[in-house]
Amino acid sequence: MDLMIQQAQGEAFRQFQYPTPPLAVYPAETIEAHRAFIARRRASRPGEEYRIPTEEEWDAFLAHFEKRKVSIGTCARAFGSPCIHEHACVRCSLLRPDPAQQARLVDIRDNLIARIAEAEREGWLGEVEGLKVSLTGAEEKLAQLDRRPSGPSVVDLGLPVIINPNSPHQPCSSEAE
């Protein structure tokens, strides 16, 4: 079986203190199958999807991300998709709450509780229903923040394995070194 070895180079790997850039080994059939898949997909898609975007299109794309920042976090909805909650962000599962805004979320939750009590007292049943949906959303956002690690988390990437250049499938033995 032919093997295609791709060596990734660059500053990104030196930053992780690799003595040499790591190697990724893929069977040639895998690479060719992927290229064939991409060619089939492109052939089935309209050609205008592969053109260079106009300045206006590019500006609209960049503006999408600028507009995703809201007072209590960042909206993660896809480019070009409408806001289904009509900007009632606390209700939306796509809002990623900002930990720095936890106090604001607590204030929003407390305000919603007070507004629900007022609406129940006044008999505004339609208002109660909507406020309860928002309260559930605010509580979910606070729970998301509580589930986040409090400090930086460590991810164990394991130890690199030195590959025997004579046989890419066999690691070098420690005795041979």
Side-chain angles (χ1 to χ4, degrees), residues 6 10 16 20 50 58 66 77 96 100 110 113 127 132 143-144 146 172-174:
Q6 296 179 337
F16 293 108
T20 59
Y50 297 102
W58 187 247
E66 292 172 12
R77 68 183 156 93
R96 298 295 170 251
D110 293 347
I113 291 169
E127 188 79 7
K132 284 184 176 179
Q144 275 182 336
D146 290 341
C172 290
S173 66
S174 57

Side-chain angles (χ1 to χ4, degrees), residues 48-120:
E48 56 272 4
E49 287 187 10
Y50 297 102
R51 65 177 173 71
I52 295 174
T54 65
E55 284 297 317
E56 294 80 24
E57 291 169 329
W58 187 247
D59 289 344
F61 179 73
L62 294 176
H64 166 83
F65 297 102
E66 292 172 12
K67 293 177 184 176
R68 299 294 61 89
K69 184 71 178 153
V70 294
S71 66
I72 54 177
T74 304
C75 176
R77 68 183 156 93
F79 172 69
S81 62
C83 179
I84 61 171
H85 295 103
E86 298 178 4
H87 304 284
C89 299
V90 78
R91 296 179 174 195
C92 184
S93 63
L94 296 176
L95 175 75
R96 298 295 170 251
D98 180 357
Q101 299 302 321
Q102 187 163 11
R104 181 185 292 260
L105 273 169
V106 168
D107 289 345
I108 289 170
R109 180 202 56 204
D110 293 347
N111 180 271
L112 286 166
I113 291 169
R115 289 175 61 197
I116 289 169
E118 176 189 20
E120 287 173 339

